[in-house]
Amino acid sequence: QQPVQSPQAVILREGEDAVINCSSSKALYSVHWYRQKHGEAPVFLMILLKGGEQKGHEKISASFNEKKQQSSLYLTASQLSYSGTYFCGTEFGGTSYGKLTFGQGTILTVHP
Amino acid sequence: KAGVTQTPRYLIKTRGQQVTLSCSPISGHRSVSWYQQTPGQGLQFLFEYFSETQRNKGNFPGRFSGRQFSNSRSEMNVSTLELGDSALYLCASSYDRSRGTEAFFGQGTRLTVV
């Protein structure tokens, strides 16, 4: 049950804001957000746990709606360095501990 | 603190051969997960090891196997390589994945099967 990310791609000018969504059809234990630049490893941004706990970079904000099984990543006042592909990884808990199921990615391009 | 180290960075192999990839996790991390990344299928989970035990496995054929050593370093092996195995193989290390902790990725091994 791969989560669905939207939008698939977004183009911004520096300083603009964007929201990336991640939806699951299955109950989630946690949602993990990563950014990957071309040819590089995915970089951890944030983890949101069932129950409300969050861990991640101070400049990144995200939400987790447990009722809707949906998470949103908020990128405000975008910078050129925000460009890359954003992935959400979902963890279902139970016997799925240790396994992340990733969305297809959202390509974010920030122009000067 | 050193990050996750994967070796080698690049590999070219011929169909039918086998390959072994290595992953050294961040010091103190006991969980290592492996993922395959391709343009068509995205990031797909292969397996996860914690304290030398495989706790979870993805939907890959038995040609894909792995192991973890007592120092938490992990290896994955792919036997009888197929063209479709060409991919970026990423490992991620975590202190303890069962508690929903952060996972940090290595740079990956780019495998090309010809």
Side-chain angles (χ1 to χ4, degrees), chain A residues 14-105:
Chain A
E14 266 188 300
E16 291 182 337
D17 302 337
V19 179
I20 300 173
N21 300 305
C22 174
S23 296
S24 173
S25 58
K26 196 175 170 182
L28 298 174
Y29 173 77
S30 66
V31 180
H32 304 233
W33 286 97
Y34 290 86
R35 177 174 60 222
Q36 185 177 31
K37 293 181 182 284
H38 185 69
E40 299 181 9
V43 172
F44 171 78
L45 296 176
M46 174 161 283
I47 178 174
L48 302 101
L49 301 172
K50 182 179 174 181
E53 185 180 356
Q54 296 186 2
K55 291 183 263 187
H57 293 281
E58 291 178 2
K59 294 188 177 181
I60 300 286
S61 66
S63 64
F64 179 18
N65 186 323
E66 290 180 43
K67 267 191 173 180
K68 293 184 177 180
Q69 301 304 321
Q70 178 177 319
S71 177
S72 296
L73 183 70
Y74 305 98
L75 301 166
T76 56
S78 59
Q79 304 171 18
L80 295 176
S81 61
Y82 286 12
S83 292
T85 302
Y86 289 76
F87 293 98
C88 68
T90 54
E91 188 177 19
F92 301 121
T95 57
S96 295
Y97 284 138
K99 171 184 176 180
L100 287 176
T101 303
F102 285 92
Q104 79 279 20

